[in-house]
Amino acid sequence: MKPAPFTWHGPRTVDEAVAVLAEVGHEGKVLAGGQSLIPVLAMRLAEPAHLVDINAVAGLDRIVVDATGVTIGALVRHASLERDDAAAAAQPLLRQALRLVAHPTIRNRGTTVGSLAHADPSGEMTSVLTLLGGTITARSARGERTIPATEFFVGPLESALAADELAVSAHFPAASAGTGSAFVEVARRHGDYALCGVGAVATVDPAGAVTGLRCGYLSVSETPLTVDLTDAWNSGDDAAAATAAAARAAVDPLPDIHATAEYRRQLAGVLTVRAAEQAVAQAVQRVGTMGRDNESGHNEEDRSA
Amino acid sequence: MVTRYFGTAVKRTEDLRLTTGHGRYTDDVGTGPDGEHALEVAYLRSPHAHARILDIDVTDALDVEGVVAIYTHEDLEGAAGEPLPVLIPHPGLHAARTGYALAKDTVRHVGESIVMVVAENRYLAEDAVNRIRVDYEFLAPVVGIEASRAAASTVHDDVPDNVAAHLVQERGDARAAVAGAPHTLEYDLSIERSASMPLEGKAVHAKWDADDASLRVYSSTQASTSVRAAIAAKLGLALGKVEVIAPDVGGGFGVKIVHPWPEEITVPMAAMRLGRPVKWTEDRREHFISAAHERGQEHHVRVGFDDEGRILGLDVTFWHDNGAYTPYGIICPIVTSTQLLGPYKPANYRVEFSSVYTNTVIVTPYRGAGRPQGVFVMERTMDRIAQYLGRDRTQVRSANFILPDEFPYDQGLIFQDGRPLIYDSGNYPDQLTMLKEMIGWDEFPALQQQARASGRLLGIGLGCYVEGTGPGPYEGAHVNVQTDGSVEVAIGLTSQGQGHQTVFAQIVADELGVDFDKIRVVTGDTRRFGYAVGTFASRAAVMSGSAVALAARKTKAKALRVAADVLECNPDDLEIESGLISMKGNPSTSIPLGQVAVLSNPLRYAFDEAAKAATQFAKPADPDKPPVAEGEEPGLEGKDYYSPPRSTFASGMHAAIVEIDADTSEIAIRKYCVVHDCGNLINPMIVEGQVHGGVAQGVGGALYEVMAYDESGQLQNASFMDFLMPYVTEVPRLELGHQMTPSPLNPLGIKGAGEAGVIPVAATIASAVEDAVGLRIDAMPLNPSKLFELRATATALTTNQVREGLTP
Ligand SMILES: Cc1cc2nc3c(=O)[nH]c(=O)nc-3n(C[C@H](O)[C@H](O)[C@H](O)COP(=O)(O)OP(=O)(O)OC[C@H]3O[C@@H](n4cnc5c(N)ncnc54)[C@H](O)[C@@H]3O)c2cc1C
């Protein structure tokens, strides 16, 4: 398990980085936190001739929080974003999801933009970016463009980035007034990729009635899936069952050695209701407390008897 | 003798070094600033489960700069090119087959090594491996017990039914007893494959001294003396020209007891041929596909019992998946077939097993070694009987227990050590009483009812086992008192982090009367101790511990003889404490142990101050007596061996409370209790650590670990991403109770503790999950997806009522 030979490049600026990428084209790979790429190289599942290591590129590690939302540079580690209180206040779903991304040690090194670029449909943040309608900004020697999440995730492990493009930042829109969010998942072990995960964003009116419910899914579709479940949630007597059924119908899971497709479908239904309940409760609370942030969605297992 | 160390939780001597990165593992050898850089090896391993090798083309690989040598089977000379040994032959193993150090004509599992590349470093070696082209003729792979039994294809041409071994043992007439019993049940039970999966994989480092024509090999092994003998035999060297050292070893759990691994032959061979140190460190992928697995078994059970649940006849037939070859014989299925009986005494018992070939990785014992399967079968049987009779599960067990006054108890079978299966001691009823109290067995039904009322599914379960530990044939120890009063202890048995340096020093400290910190223990180094068997079957404490005690006693006897001579008294009048020998009741008459060591070795030359005392003109001596008396030897040392008549039987019981998420079928262990009897405890903290680690592996076997082979024989989860070992977050907090029934078989009254924790976990969890969901659990491991499936398909048939599995 040793990588094939490659040439290492250590650009110091974004311009240098995209210049190298332009030169090496399809032979090159960007190296960010390395938490996904290094194992792939070690197992020789990919043998890029050039690695463009962006870890020393200046200015990519900033988290900017403003009225529009949270913008993170390509070197912002999962752990930094998770711990950033301003980011959590502006968009609570970020922290709610990030604490379920892998283990703390991996979050210390892995970057959030890297996980978006990796475009894994089992990644929490791909699903979050899609659910929130965020964007990715990419730079190349040819120029800069901003790509909406819905166009960014093309297939499993396939993004809209061209070979010469560097994702320089990602933008997550702020939570608007009257919304609440939650993120829940089931994984085989703590910190594993989820068998199914669900993020929910609920909107309530001042009277507490749910006016919007959107859920984002991971591990149950080829690209991050977002479903509008407002009608199901408001469908009357057995709304929870209707919502679960709608979720189960919307997902298209595949079986693997850890779980059958049917089981994942079941999880999609169960977790949708759990996430929705938490999101609605948070929305109601936020309306009630005039937007003061207060996180819910605490689903750490109680391990005592 | 004042016992000061035996039985106390002395802190482990090895921990500071190991936990601060100062361990020295095989991969570290030669890597220091003055180390001699070793060439590194990578193997081309078969990507196919079953194929004939038509042609190997290494031309391109030779072009890689830094490649030093490439070897295939054709390059192996003499015994090195012959099939690997069948280490433990057995009359029942009628069709033993083994592979080669490098595959000869046919590969029989993914991962079998075909070509060895030696290069300046591992990167280059792997680059070269990628450029080797092998032409294969594909053969039909045999995957799984069912396919093996059907034998539509065979793993070995000359074994048409794929059966490597077949064995029947019987006490009484079990079939007649089942037929005549008032109640009978019949069902199938199965356990999937898992693996030892030590943190450090295998590793070999070899250095050839051409001038001395001698070889030094470091290997991450559980049996260095035997690896030495195997290397000498395979490479045509005199035993005295081969040294094998097991330095720090990062876990073994069974996989490193097999030897010689192909790499233990080819790496030293390359070192000899190339005249440079050569090393190979197994990577994780290699460990998955070319080391060893265990546990894969399917069982068919027929049982007859009376109204009390007493078993009148038990008739078990099972199939053991031994993978592609049988280098370690059939130890695991033998252990299952005998240890299945646990603490019980069925009136009649028949067991029959077939060990079958498949095109998968070989099997070696993995901690527990066949016992988890046997216990699963027996404990599931107890639960079924209880369910059938509507009795409490603990009552049925009690009705079948061997009672305290029935020891020694002869089960009437032959155990894995070739000796009769005779339990030496134990107290199972007391154990159960302790366990029930700890887990709250009698209070649980109320708790369960209450939980159900609020939609929560709680279940309780238990599992009991008896474990034969400390099998022979022997272990030895050498205790050597230095002239400064410190003590060197050497044993041939190896250590994989269990705490041998600590516990053996505890034993010597008490036996010899020296302070603990004056004692250094060396393990698994053939330079220091040449005869040993190895670390497996929970035998280190029992075997080496006893040998260490005996060797220390010999040393003490000699120390007292020499001291008595000097102090002009009777040895019986002397005692040793803190390294000082003194007259009982007259402590002013004394002599330090170190000085006795000086005097015990009559010298000609005074190389230091202390040595002067032992030179020929230093003291008056009887001119008519030889300086070394008849029957004596120079030096203050003692060497002895311990060889027991048979194994000693430890035992234990586990109980768990689990909660099943009604919607997601996730399985959470809410409470886990262990009662454990390994006789006298040398170091309770180390025993507890062993139990904790064992239970963690047991949880892996119960809920997480499988070897997911597809039908073409590809292992789909050959990485830590997909082979799920429990993290600490998945392992429950343990409540542990010790029971001590000393073994009458050895001088210290101890029984093995190494494997215990793992043994009944799958059985216990199955019992608890069954209780929670009211559905039969007859295959482990279980996971939420499987449990969901089970609940989804079975709800139509049952409502919180265990289905009966009786075949009409
Ligand atoms: C044991 C383990 C468990 C994990 N569990 C989870 C989990 O539960 N959920 C989850 O979401 N993730 C999980 N991960 C992955 C983790 O989140 C990674 O950090 C993430 O997928 C990739 O981020 P990185 O910075 O490490 O990227 P790298 O590994 O450096 O790169 C990943 C890929 O993205 C490309 N890339 C990276 N950055 C850029 C960029 N700025 N522009 C263009 N291309 C880029 C690389 O070329 C490469 O192809 C796990 C990883 C491990 C090792």
Side-chain angles (χ1 to χ4, degrees):
Chain A
M1 299 212 299
K2 304 285 185 205
F6 55 81
T7 304
W8 178 84
H9 302 270
R12 297 287 171 145
T13 64
V14 170
D15 286 344
E16 276 175 38
V18 297
V20 180
L21 283 173
E23 203 178 300
V24 300
H26 286 282
E27 299 280 272
K29 270 270 171 207
V30 172
L31 175 67
Q35 299 303 295
S36 296
L37 185 56
I38 296 293
V40 164
L41 298 184
M43 290 190 256
R44 299 200 185 207
L45 297 173
E47 302 191 3
H50 298 269
L51 276 197
V52 183
D53 180 348
I54 60 169
N55 283 279
V57 172
L60 288 183
D61 57 354
R62 279 196 286 270
I63 302 173
V64 177
V65 181
D66 60 23
T68 66
V70 181
T71 307
I72 56 168
L75 282 178
V76 172
R77 313 287 167 181
H78 291 308
S80 316
L81 183 56
E82 178 192 355
R83 288 190 205 115
D84 194 291
D85 289 336
Q91 181 44 269
L93 190 57
L94 293 175
R95 183 178 283 173
Q96 289 166 345
L98 279 162
R99 43 183 200 90
L100 298 173
V101 174
H103 315 276
T105 45
I106 288 161
R107 298 203 289 273
N108 283 341
R109 188 80 203 156
T111 64
T112 303
V113 171
S115 86
L116 297 172
H118 195 51
D120 190 336
S122 304
E124 283 77 4
M125 299 317 284
T126 52
S127 151
V128 166
L129 191 80
T130 313
L131 177 60
L132 296 177
T135 57
I136 300 256
T137 298
R139 279 268 295 279
S140 70
R142 297 173 285 130
E144 185 173 289
R145 62 178 179 135
T146 292
I147 312 162
T150 43
E151 289 162 32
F152 187 77
F153 302 108
V154 178
L157 304 177
E158 194 187 344
S159 80
L161 290 174
D164 65 345
E165 277 183 314
L166 177 71
V168 286
S169 66
H171 175 75
F172 299 89
S176 43
T179 64
S181 61
F183 204 102
V184 295
E185 66 179 40
V186 167
R188 286 294 278 117
R189 300 170 300 183
H190 285 70
D192 281 352
Y193 278 105
L195 297 177
C196 176
V198 182
V201 175
T203 315
V204 297
D205 64 19
V210 175
T211 57
L213 175 65
R214 282 160 49 78
C215 288
Y217 295 84
L218 52 124
S219 303
V220 286
S221 55
E222 298 222 314
T223 54
L225 173 74
T226 300
V227 183
D228 192 317
L229 293 166
T230 319
D231 291 343
W233 191 256
N234 288 324
S235 65
D237 283 353
D238 215 351
T243 306
R248 286 198 298 269
V251 300
D252 184 17
L254 293 173
D256 67 7
I257 59 169
H258 303 300
T260 61
E262 252 335 287
Y263 179 65
R264 286 176 202 263
R265 200 183 289 283
Q266 163 78 3
L267 289 183
V270 172
L271 296 179
T272 296
V273 174
R274 288 183 187 176
E277 279 167 352
Q278 289 178 22
V280 168
Q282 195 196 45
V284 168
Q285 196 179 18
R286 275 162 62 105
V287 168
T289 57
M290 311 257 288
R292 196 182 76 208
D293 179 56
N294 196 336
E295 242 190 87
S296 73
H298 187 77
N299 68 345
E300 210 69 82
E301 246 188 85
D302 176 7
R303 291 171 42 78
S304 61
Chain B
M1 187 180 76
V2 207
T3 299
R4 287 166 304 164
Y5 296 102
F6 192 106
T8 58
V10 175
K11 288 232 172 80
R12 289 169 32 117
T13 330
E14 41 275 86
D15 281 351
L16 184 62
R17 199 168 56 77
L18 294 178
T19 56
T20 55
H22 292 89
R24 184 178 189 243
Y25 298 88
T26 299
D27 191 51
D28 298 325
V29 172
T31 55
D34 304 323
E36 192 180 349
H37 172 72
L39 296 170
E40 292 194 64
V41 172
Y43 292 91
L44 171 82
R45 296 183 181 279
S46 174
H48 306 297
H50 199 188
R52 233 183 296 286
I53 301 168
L54 302 178
D55 184 52
I56 303 173
D57 181 357
V58 301
T59 330
D60 275 2
L62 287 167
D63 288 344
V64 174
E65 207 172 323
V67 167
V68 178
I70 298 183
Y71 302 110
T72 64
H73 184 269
E74 280 178 14
D75 301 301
L76 306 179
E77 287 167 8
E82 288 166 13
L84 295 164
V86 179
L87 282 181
I88 311 178
H90 186 284
L93 179 59
H94 60 268
R97 297 290 180 275
T98 53
Y100 293 86
L102 292 169
K104 196 174 173 195
D105 311 307
T106 307
V107 282
R108 293 189 178 84
H109 66 84
V110 169
E112 200 168 348
S113 52
I114 301 173
V115 187
M116 175 190 201
V117 175
V118 188
E120 289 298 332
N121 63 50
R122 177 70 179 249
Y123 292 82
L124 298 171
E126 290 192 17
D127 290 348
V129 163
N130 275 9
R131 292 185 178 206
I132 296 170
R133 268 183 292 280
V134 181
D135 283 343
Y136 298 96
E137 177 196 337
F138 301 120
L139 302 172
V142 178
V143 182
I145 288 171
E146 202 184 314
S148 180
R149 286 179 62 193
S153 320
T154 58
V155 176
H156 299 274
D157 291 343
D158 55 351
V159 187
D161 58 358
N162 286 323
V163 176
H166 181 252
L167 194 67
V168 180
Q169 289 207 64
E170 179 155 24
R171 187 178 74 169
D173 186 345
R175 288 183 169 171
V178 172
H183 313 287
T184 59
L185 292 169
E186 181 171 359
Y187 39 86
D188 294 317
L189 297 165
S190 68
I191 297 276
E192 290 189 43
R193 267 193 178 195
S194 183
S196 301
M197 212 47 71
L199 215 51
E200 182 204 21
K202 293 180 279 157
V204 187
H205 179 288
K207 186 175 172 178
W208 174 244
D209 182 335
D211 296 331
D212 188 49
S214 66
L215 187 65
R216 178 183 295 179
V217 178
Y218 295 86
S219 182
S220 185
T221 179
Q222 292 174 236
S224 54
T225 48
S226 203
V227 170
R228 176 198 194 197
I231 290 174
K234 284 289 186 186
L235 299 181
L237 295 167
L239 197 59
K241 289 293 184 185
V242 183
E243 299 166 349
V244 175
I245 300 158
D248 285 325
V249 172
F253 309 111
V255 62
K256 295 173 183 174
I257 192 62
V258 176
H259 56 274
W261 282 101
E263 301 85 5
E264 284 171 330
I265 296 169
T266 53
V267 170
M269 176 198 82
M272 287 172 69
R273 292 202 191 169
L274 300 171
R276 288 179 62 182
V278 176
K279 80 169 186 185
W280 167 76
T281 304
E282 184 180 63
D283 68 31
R284 190 54 57 184
R285 189 176 151 71
E286 286 183 293
H287 189 77
F288 271 102
I289 63 172
S290 68
H293 303 161
E294 205 240 299
R295 304 265 203 264
Q297 277 180 193
E298 287 172 11
H299 315 78
H300 184 72
V301 186
R302 295 175 67 241
V303 62
F305 48 95
D306 65 14
D307 295 343
E308 309 291 306
R310 270 191 296 262
I311 297 181
L312 305 174
L314 179 63
D315 178 14
V316 179
T317 308
F318 72 94
W319 293 266
H320 169 84
D321 176 353
N322 61 224
Y325 304 107
T326 50
Y328 207 71
I330 48 172
I331 289 297
C332 291
I334 293 177
V335 171
T336 299
S337 66
T338 47
Q339 299 264 268
L340 189 150
L341 293 172
Y344 312 112
K345 46 176 183 188
N348 298 276
Y349 175 55
R350 182 183 192 277
V351 62
E352 168 175 0
F353 71 78
S354 301
S355 186
V356 300
Y357 286 113
T358 58
N359 289 111
T360 61
V361 175
I362 64 161
V363 161
T364 68
Y366 155 37
R367 197 178 201 172
R371 292 179 190 84
Q373 301 94 310
V375 169
F376 184 67
V377 169
M378 194 56 157
E379 295 300 301
R380 301 282 61 223
T381 298
M382 290 294 164
D383 283 0
R384 278 189 187 247
I385 294 173
Q387 177 67 32
Y388 180 91
L389 295 173
R391 290 182 152 247
D392 185 279
R393 286 169 284 169
T394 60
Q395 258 180 357
V396 170
R397 284 167 172 83
S398 295
N400 285 284
F401 278 153
I402 295 162
L403 298 176
D405 61 4
E406 292 177 305
F407 291 94
Y409 187 84
D410 189 346
Q411 287 281 21
L413 305 174
I414 299 298
F415 191 41
Q416 60 134 322
D417 54 2
R419 302 292 169 120
L421 184 70
I422 300 175
Y423 294 2
D424 53 336
S425 65
N427 187 335
Y428 311 134
D430 274 8
Q431 232 172 49
L432 185 60
T433 306
M434 266 175 91
L435 184 75
K436 283 175 72 174
E437 206 149 291
M438 282 168 71
I439 194 80
W441 185 269
D442 293 332
E443 298 75 44
F444 182 75
L447 196 68
Q448 188 178 37
Q449 280 300 316
Q450 215 180 316
R452 283 243 166 91
S454 56
R456 292 172 61 206
L457 302 175
L458 290 186
I460 195 168
L462 82 163
C464 310
Y465 68 94
V466 166
E467 182 198 1
T469 67
Y474 71 87
E475 284 301 334
H478 182 230
V479 173
N480 190 354
V481 180
Q482 311 293 294
T483 53
D484 66 356
S486 67
V487 182
E488 297 279 341
V489 180
I491 55 167
L493 176 142
T494 59
S495 168
Q496 297 90 50
Q498 296 92 334
H500 295 171
Q501 276 87 353
T502 308
V503 290
F504 297 139
Q506 286 180 256
I507 292 171
V508 171
D510 286 350
E511 292 288 346
L512 201 52
V514 291
D515 290 337
F516 177 76
D517 56 9
K518 285 268 189 325
I519 302 165
R520 286 180 298 272
V521 179
V522 171
T523 63
D525 182 340
T526 65
R527 295 172 301 178
R528 296 288 304 278
F529 206 91
Y531 291 95
V533 181
T535 304
F536 59 94
S538 303
R539 67 192 293 283
V542 174
M543 298 300 305
S544 291
S546 297
V548 161
L550 296 177
R553 286 175 195 177
K554 257 195 183 171
T555 311
K556 181 179 182 182
K558 174 154 192 191
L560 296 185
R561 276 201 310 275
V562 175
D565 203 28
V566 176
L567 301 175
E568 295 177 334
C569 65
N570 191 315
D572 293 344
D573 298 336
L574 298 174
E575 62 188 3
I576 316 181
E577 208 179 313
S578 274
L580 191 69
I581 306 179
S582 58
M583 197 98 85
K584 287 177 193 162
N586 181 11
S588 58
T589 307
S590 68
I591 181 169
L593 200 56
Q595 199 179 337
V596 172
V598 171
L599 297 176
S600 71
N601 179 17
L603 288 171
R604 185 172 182 84
Y605 308 115
F607 50 81
D608 66 11
E609 260 325 293
K612 265 190 207 163
T615 54
Q616 58 266 49
F617 300 109
K619 54 176 187 196
D622 185 338
D624 294 327
K625 277 196 190 155
V628 177
E630 199 165 325
E632 290 286 7
E633 290 172 0
L636 182 49
E637 56 186 353
K639 186 178 187 176
D640 209 343
Y641 291 87
Y642 170 66
S643 181
R646 58 186 163 269
S647 300
T648 168
F649 289 80
S651 60
M653 298 178 188
H654 293 194
I657 295 177
V658 302
E659 177 165 1
I660 311 301
D661 185 304
D663 297 318
T664 65
S665 295
E666 286 170 285
I667 304 155
I669 303 170
R670 295 293 180 215
K671 186 171 170 136
Y672 203 96
C673 299
V674 174
V675 180
H676 178 255
D677 178 7
C678 61
N680 292 333
L681 299 174
I682 306 171
N683 185 323
M685 183 188 69
I686 287 180
V687 169
E688 281 167 28
Q690 288 292 325
V691 174
H692 283 215
V695 170
Q697 284 183 311
V699 168
L703 297 174
Y704 296 98
E705 299 168 6
V706 293
M707 288 295 170
Y709 276 103
D710 67 13
E711 64 277 16
S712 64
Q714 296 291 339
L715 187 58
Q716 296 168 281
N717 60 340
S719 84
F720 281 163
M721 201 76 173
D722 286 313
F723 177 79
L724 310 177
M725 296 203 293
Y727 300 126
V728 70
T729 40
E730 279 64 49
V731 178
R733 256 192 203 96
L734 294 190
E735 289 167 44
L736 194 59
H738 293 294
Q739 187 198 39
M740 281 191 253
T741 54
S743 170
L745 298 182
N746 61 63
L748 302 173
I750 53 184
K751 302 175 177 180
E755 295 168 275
V758 79
I759 295 171
V761 184
T764 302
I765 302 288
S767 179
V769 173
E770 189 168 284
D771 185 47
V773 299
L775 295 170
R776 269 292 170 241
I777 305 297
D778 47 23
M780 291 298 264
L782 195 58
N783 67 35
S785 180
K786 284 191 204 169
L787 185 57
F788 168 72
E789 216 74 12
L790 199 63
R791 294 173 67 216
T793 49
T795 35
L797 304 172
T798 58
T799 47
N800 273 334
Q801 250 283 311
V802 175
R803 251 183 314 143
E804 254 334 307
L806 241 183
T807 45

